[in-house]
Amino acid sequence: MTTRVRGARLVVEGGVVLSGSIGISGAKNHALAAMCAALLTDEDLILENVPDISDVESLGALLVSLGAEVDRLPNGSLRLNCSRVNMFEAPTDLISENRASFQVMGPLLGRHGYAASAPPGGDVIGQRPIDVHLSGFEAMGAVVTREGERYVTSAPQGLRGARVFMDYPSVSGTQNVMMAATLARGHTTIVNAATEPEVQELANLLNGMGARISGIGSQMLEVEGVEAVHGTNARVMPDRIETGTWAIAAVMTGGDVELNDVPTGCLDALLTKLRAAGADIEEHGNSLRVRRAGPIRAISFQALPYPGLATDLHAPMAALLTQANGVSIIHERVFDNRMLYVSELRKMGAEIVSTGSSAIVSGPTPLHGARVRALDVRAGAAVLLAALVATGTTIIDDVYHLDRGYERLTEKLRGLGVEVERN
Ligand code: UD1
């Protein structure tokens, strides 16, 4: 396992052309939600392909603090058993580690009629309210109160099915409400549900555990409550954001990279935008060969809920567009503060200006090595990508942000020909 000390940094030599092949790891956001689903049953939930990233580690620690058993089996799968869970209040230090941790609330409330937690942590990428989660619980009959910094939710008689309107199609909000509704009495309709592939995969996992969810992939999810669910074995889908990050790296450096085990059927926005920017991408089953056909072209895009281009790829795409011929315009439509990467890329010579939730990138600009910070997981990916094409050495501080979402990062970089040290 990687050393995940807060002070760790990456030292990256620039001017590299990536070449070779790598495998894409399991999806962070599917794995985290799936781990929370274990709280719905006393039986073992075995998850294959769970990435070794710090968000998984911290959510695992949170589940253990509630009384769960969480261990890696010899074959690498994660085994979760929640039969001894007897704590329904998430410790604040662990809940603040990442955003996904708040998803313990729905299953705890649905199963035990009580759950309490401080607001979750996660990247500082704008206001990240949880009103959608809480109003969903209330619609199902829970009483939600605020005690100090904690939200306390209770439904001593159990939750009842309801029609729940999501004010925003929140990913973790939909997942939280869907898990709560799984064991509610009667039928729940979630209107304006998030349709992200990770939400769909959670619904499939829950059905594999005995839940009755339909409308999967649509904005109207139907959940017929069941008395109990059981354990199962499931495989975590490949990470579409990691796929995007490496594909962008290949295009940016003019390399030739094969990405194996990519998710299929959910990469339309990414592939369309990369091809528009000049990428040559061949799709063979669940592999992609990514090269560049000519100079990088300026493109404009909006970061949107799925199936639009993922907000998590906004910053990496912006790094790419510093090398494009012309002016690119980016509109962020999901989070109100995804622009942390701008100041860091500017330190490396990029010409980017941001106003509100938009950024204007002028290129191509030669980038130079600098001392920069990974300010959040995807802003960190953006500076890493920039470092690959910069002249000289780039030092990236606060690498723990990258550790939250990228498995075996230095190993994969080296496998593609990058000179990189972690110290
Ligand atoms: C998840 C992902 C994150 C990704 C994001 C958008 C996890 C652990 N994280 O985050 O990587 O970037 O989806 O695809 O799965 N909102 C509200 N009220 C709420 C909840 C959210 O207004 O109660 C708003 C947020 O302010 C934000 C937007 O909804 O503007 C998107 O947030 P949401 O979909 O909830 O993202 P997360 O689930 O936190």
Side-chain angles (χ1 to χ4, degrees), residues 357-373:
S357 287
S358 300
I360 300 167
V361 188
S362 305
T365 40
L367 300 181
H368 51 79
R371 185 155 191 163
V372 288
R373 290 174 64 196

Side-chain angles (χ1 to χ4, degrees), residues 402-418:
L402 281 159
D403 295 337
R404 296 190 42 212
Y406 292 94
E407 185 181 48
R408 300 198 310 274
L409 183 60
T410 47
E411 185 188 318
K412 289 186 183 185
L413 284 165
R414 287 184 187 133
L416 295 175
V418 181

Side-chain angles (χ1 to χ4, degrees), residues 1-5 52 57 403 406-410 422:
M1 192 176 289
T2 318
T3 327
R4 292 182 183 126
V5 287
D52 178 15
E57 223 173 283
D403 295 337
Y406 292 94
E407 185 181 48
R408 300 198 310 274
L409 183 60
T410 47
R422 185 187 171 103

Side-chain angles (χ1 to χ4, degrees), residues 77-285:
S77 296
L78 199 69
R79 183 187 72 94
L80 300 111
N81 185 292
C82 294
S83 57
R84 297 218 182 102
V85 164
N86 56 4
M87 265 285 296
F88 310 120
E89 313 212 356
T92 301
D93 55 328
L94 294 172
I95 204 90
S96 63
E97 290 271 318
N98 68 54
R99 175 86 180 163
S101 49
F102 200 69
Q103 290 178 74
V104 300
M105 294 290 280
L108 283 176
L109 178 64
R111 180 137 189 250
H112 303 282
Y114 180 86
S117 168
D123 284 327
V124 188
I125 50 175
Q127 289 182 47
R128 302 187 80 175
I130 43 170
D131 53 302
V132 161
H133 306 234
L134 299 175
S135 59
F137 299 154
E138 280 175 330
M140 288 188 282
V143 174
V144 179
T145 52
R146 193 87 199 248
E147 286 179 12
E149 60 170 357
R150 293 178 326 144
Y151 290 98
V152 178
T153 63
S154 77
Q157 311 302 319
L159 295 174
R160 53 170 197 275
R163 194 168 171 94
V164 175
F165 174 69
M166 313 232 100
D167 215 14
Y168 187 96
S170 158
V171 170
S172 52
T174 302
Q175 294 178 152
N176 227 343
V177 171
M178 184 164 63
M179 287 190 277
T182 291
L183 297 181
R185 272 192 324 280
H187 190 94
T188 298
T189 302
I190 305 176
V191 184
N192 200 25
T195 61
E196 268 68 5
E198 296 78 13
V199 179
Q200 300 181 34
E201 287 299 316
L202 176 68
N204 289 330
L205 168 73
L206 293 169
N207 281 348
M209 296 170 71
R212 292 177 57 197
I213 302 171
S214 57
I216 297 171
S218 80
Q219 289 173 299
M220 294 271 273
L221 283 171
E222 307 288 348
V223 186
E224 192 61 50
V226 294
E227 289 258 316
V229 292
H230 50 77
T232 192
N233 281 31
R235 188 171 173 80
V236 171
M237 71 175 284
D239 198 305
R240 63 198 170 96
I241 308 303
E242 191 200 5
T243 304
T245 307
W246 290 116
I248 293 167
V251 178
M252 203 167 166
T253 63
D256 184 353
V257 173
E258 188 178 67
L259 303 177
N260 296 314
D261 306 320
V262 304
T264 51
C266 62
L267 299 177
D268 304 79
L270 170 73
L271 299 184
T272 303
K273 286 297 174 188
L274 284 183
R275 284 179 175 132
D280 171 10
I281 303 175
E282 290 169 29
E283 297 169 66
H284 303 286

